[in-house]
Amino acid sequence: MSEKKAQLTIDGVDKPIELPVYEGSTGPDVIDVSSLVGQGFFTYDPGFMSTASCESDITFIDGDKGVLLHRGYPIEQLAANVSFLDTCFLLLNGELPDATEKGEFENTIRYHTMVDEQIHNFFKGFPRTSHPMAMLLSVVGALSAFYHDNLDNDNPEHRKIVAHRIIAKMPTLAAMCYKHGVGQPFMYPQNDMGFAENFLHMMFGTPCDAPNVSPILAKAMDTIFLLHADHEQNASTSTVRLAGSSGANPYACIASGIAALWGPAHGGANEAVLAQLAEIGDEKNIEEYILRAKDKDDPFRLMGFGHRVYKNFDPRATVMREICNEVLDDLGVEDDPLFRIARKLEKIALEDDYFIDRKLYPNVDFYSGIILKAIGIPTSMFTVIFSTGRTPGWIAHWDEMLSSSFRIGRPRQLYKGHTKRTIKV
Ligand code: SDX
């Protein structure tokens, strides 16, 4: 680590406290405050706005410049040149696969896509009207009942098998959540199909028809998964790391990430964007909703806008908008009313001082829902799609943490409650 130092002077403390400062390969320096507890102080940072929770080599985001790198490769280059599974390999191994590695990895994933038949029984207990995220987090957590006893988190080979299994099984489980809701039989994965093609087949295929997935929609689906693959220490990835820091079963850790992603402030925003565009209903209503988004007394927020880190365009949103154009054109719905409202809403917001001053730009969720709806995926499944795409990121961070020296995550607090008092009996 570097020899840079920070001096912290505190009223009432004689000597300044010296703290080490570390430099990353890029991005802000960090101040190591871990010694403060020994000097009777905690740092205070609700929402972890200024907190680096760990060291990582996986993903870098420059929010001011709208840059997203996976192992150094810009997201727009990955989206244009490689597949989702290539990106999974990159996140897990640090490099893109060569031709041999690509074939082997695709084969490994292909032969882990089936789930234990017992998993089918879990769905029998869910009401048909269950939210797909409720079902997904339950059955992913249930995988820990099938893979636990001889799983050694400290064994790199065991961790590799966990990563392959969860990446492979997530689309199968995701499609099962949809099929249960529509009362259709589950479709088995086909070993002669690509990852995204297989997912769309398991979603929309039936035992009564021969497989028939549009290559253009399969490609769009693959890129949507890729754009969601990882995003540094976001809320759900930090949840997976925190759960994993106790040594918990990795499938249970991924289920905790799914739970965190479900919230509308995080991965649930894509579902909320569609509901909001439908509520706006017509371009003439946009101004009213912009005013509501700016009104401090109105809890209404423009879903799909703003980001904790990006204070510029989310580079994923830019790629997503291009895919939107292509898919709607391919489907002959380029004049989709929701897409028209979204484009107009984006234009108006980006010219409005409220959004400009707060650097609120469209994020990854703003356009994804329009594409998914055009593909025929119901809004309740949007965050399930996000979960399927984010699985490699979650498990890569879990693996990175377990392959390095780590301690159980255990934040402290600023206590504002009662001091010690005696019960009056
Ligand atoms: C994802 O972290 C990640 O990396 C997440 C993610 C990933 O890939 O994992 O990128 C995926 O979660 C994308 C974000 C999806 N969420 C939404 O689209 C929901 C709408 N956006 C917001 O709720 C909000 O922008 C957040 C939650 C995304 C960010 O919240 P912050 O960083 O806590 O910002 P803030 O709430 O402090 O807002 C700063 C100001 C406030 O106004 P002031 O009090 O300063 O006057 O901006 C305003 C907010 O009111 N603001 C918005 C707004 N977002 C922020 N005003 C209207 N509409 C919005 N969408």
Side-chain angles (χ1 to χ4, degrees), residues 81-350:
N81 297 289
V82 301
S83 70
F84 172 64
L85 285 187
D86 293 339
T87 305
C88 293
F89 185 96
L90 173 68
L91 292 172
L92 290 171
N93 301 297
E95 296 294 342
L96 285 165
D98 61 29
T100 306
E101 290 165 330
K102 180 182 173 75
E104 287 169 356
F105 186 70
E106 288 173 352
N107 243 8
T108 299
I109 298 299
R110 178 175 294 120
Y111 290 103
H112 279 96
T113 47
M114 275 210 297
V115 295
D116 190 298
E117 285 293 292
Q118 288 287 91
I119 290 281
H120 292 217
N121 297 329
F122 284 83
F123 284 91
K124 293 193 174 92
F126 297 128
R128 293 277 183 202
T129 53
S130 304
H131 193 289
M133 283 295 280
M135 292 190 270
L136 186 69
L137 75 88
S138 306
V139 293
V140 170
L143 289 178
S144 57
F146 293 81
Y147 307 108
H148 182 73
D149 295 343
N150 52 7
L151 172 57
D152 174 6
N153 285 354
D154 296 327
N155 183 325
E157 282 310 305
H158 286 205
R159 295 203 299 270
K160 183 187 283 188
I161 294 167
V162 166
H164 295 166
R165 272 197 177 118
I166 195 64
I167 289 170
K169 295 180 192 313
M170 196 61 84
T172 307
L173 295 170
M176 291 171 84
C177 294
Y178 171 69
K179 286 299 199 189
H180 180 72
V182 296
Q184 287 186 358
F186 300 135
M187 296 297 287
Y188 286 92
Q190 299 300 303
N191 289 339
D192 60 352
M193 290 187 178
F195 186 91
E197 179 191 9
N198 222 342
F199 171 67
L200 292 176
H201 168 66
M202 292 187 283
M203 280 283 293
F204 300 120
T206 73
C208 316
D209 304 309
N212 176 25
V213 176
S214 149
I216 290 179
L217 296 190
K219 172 65 179 132
M221 192 72 250
D222 194 81
T223 308
I224 289 171
F225 285 141
L226 186 156
L227 291 172
H228 288 88
D230 188 48
H231 213 239
E232 199 213 61
Q233 306 308 326
N234 60 85
S236 53
T237 301
S238 297
T239 302
V240 171
R241 277 182 174 259
L242 194 57
S245 73
S246 75
N249 178 289
Y251 301 96
C253 294
I254 297 296
S256 70
I258 294 172
L261 188 73
W262 192 358
H266 190 11
N270 51 18
E271 181 177 350
V273 166
L274 256 288
Q276 202 164 90
L277 291 173
E279 186 186 335
I280 293 173
D282 188 295
E283 290 182 45
K284 68 179 186 312
N285 301 328
I286 289 175
E287 281 299 343
E288 173 205 338
Y289 282 84
I290 295 275
L291 287 173
R292 283 190 58 195
K294 292 156 64 173
D295 179 355
K296 283 291 146 230
D297 298 326
D298 187 335
F300 176 84
R301 284 193 164 185
L302 219 46
M303 300 316 279
F305 261 79
H307 198 277
R308 168 60 54 78
V309 176
Y310 288 122
K311 302 310 170 189
N312 197 323
F313 251 93
D314 180 334
R316 301 168 296 175
T318 308
V319 179
M320 205 67 89
R321 188 173 52 193
E322 290 158 22
I323 298 172
C324 216
N325 273 315
E326 289 160 16
V327 168
L328 296 181
D329 281 351
D330 174 61
L331 294 171
V333 290
E334 60 275 13
D335 198 29
D336 177 277
L338 293 183
F339 187 48
R340 216 174 43 246
I341 293 170
R343 293 302 300 265
K344 186 73 180 290
L345 183 62
E346 176 189 8
K347 183 176 183 308
I348 294 172
L350 294 181

